[in-house]
Amino acid sequence: MEDQPLEMAGSEPEEKQKAGSLEKQVRDLFLQGDKKGAQAMVEGLCNEYNMADALGKAVVLERFSGLLNPEEWKPGAEYMRLVIEPLARIFEAETDAALVGKAAAMLHDAAEKFILFSDYASATQILAGVKAKTSDRPMNFQGLSPKAAYAVMED
């Protein structure tokens, strides 16, 4: 019998590869104009989240983070909406405080991006949803980034 290291299912390198593949597939579908295909992949991630335990949910949220903050390109408002809408549904339904906090931080960061896109309606909707869900929980939001605050003042 050969001594070969066994890689456990769900290990970090496997998850990173899976996440990178998802990011690339969603990006490629979106940029090729197949928005329904990209949306179906993101919805599949929602289904994965709904069926996961707490640890699995944290992994899925990391995958959402990868979709919202891709390394290879800077998505615009339309792509961000495609990812944010399912994430907002997950956020609204979640009851675990740690997962709520993680999702809230991701939504807050996305709202800042919408401000930089001058899409104040989307930013307001996101921030209002975060505030409504987290008003009874202590959240440590330091406010908008200087870049986002400057963009609001300039508009």
Side-chain angles (χ1 to χ4, degrees):
M1 183 183 263
E2 295 179 27
D3 288 330
Q4 293 180 1
L6 296 175
E7 192 165 320
M8 297 188 60
S11 67
E12 190 173 324
E14 182 181 310
E15 289 300 327
K16 283 185 179 181
Q17 182 179 10
K18 198 190 264 187
S21 174
L22 176 77
E23 291 168 15
K24 183 179 180 335
Q25 289 175 348
V26 172
R27 178 199 68 206
D28 290 350
L29 287 170
F30 180 82
L31 293 176
Q32 292 167 1
D34 185 0
K35 293 177 178 88
K36 287 185 180 184
Q39 185 175 18
M41 292 195 76
V42 177
E43 291 295 335
L45 197 55
C46 283
N47 293 337
E48 188 178 324
Y49 184 91
N50 292 332
M51 295 175 17
D53 60 6
L55 183 59
K57 287 180 176 184
V59 170
V60 172
L61 285 180
E62 285 302 317
R63 294 177 76 189
F64 267 101
S65 181
L67 289 171
L68 291 169
N69 303 294
E71 294 179 11
E72 298 177 8
W73 68 301
K74 299 292 182 201
E78 186 177 2
Y79 173 88
M80 294 293 291
R81 266 187 229 94
L82 182 124
V83 178
I84 284 297
E85 289 173 6
L87 178 60
R89 288 194 315 268
I90 284 173
F91 170 74
E92 290 169 11
E94 186 56 62
T95 57
D96 180 278
L99 295 170
V100 167
K102 188 173 195 150
M106 291 168 48
L107 289 167
H108 187 270
D109 290 345
E112 282 192 13
K113 291 177 182 176
F114 280 111
I115 289 170
L116 296 175
F117 298 143
S118 296
D119 185 347
Y120 302 120
S122 293
T124 301
Q125 182 179 10
I126 292 167
L127 292 173
V130 170
K131 183 176 181 180
K133 173 88 175 183
T134 61
S135 62
D136 63 333
R137 291 184 169 93
M139 296 300 290
N140 188 15
F141 289 135
Q142 298 298 321
L144 296 176
S145 69
K147 189 175 182 180
Y150 180 77
V152 170
M153 289 188 317
E154 285 299 304
D155 258 355

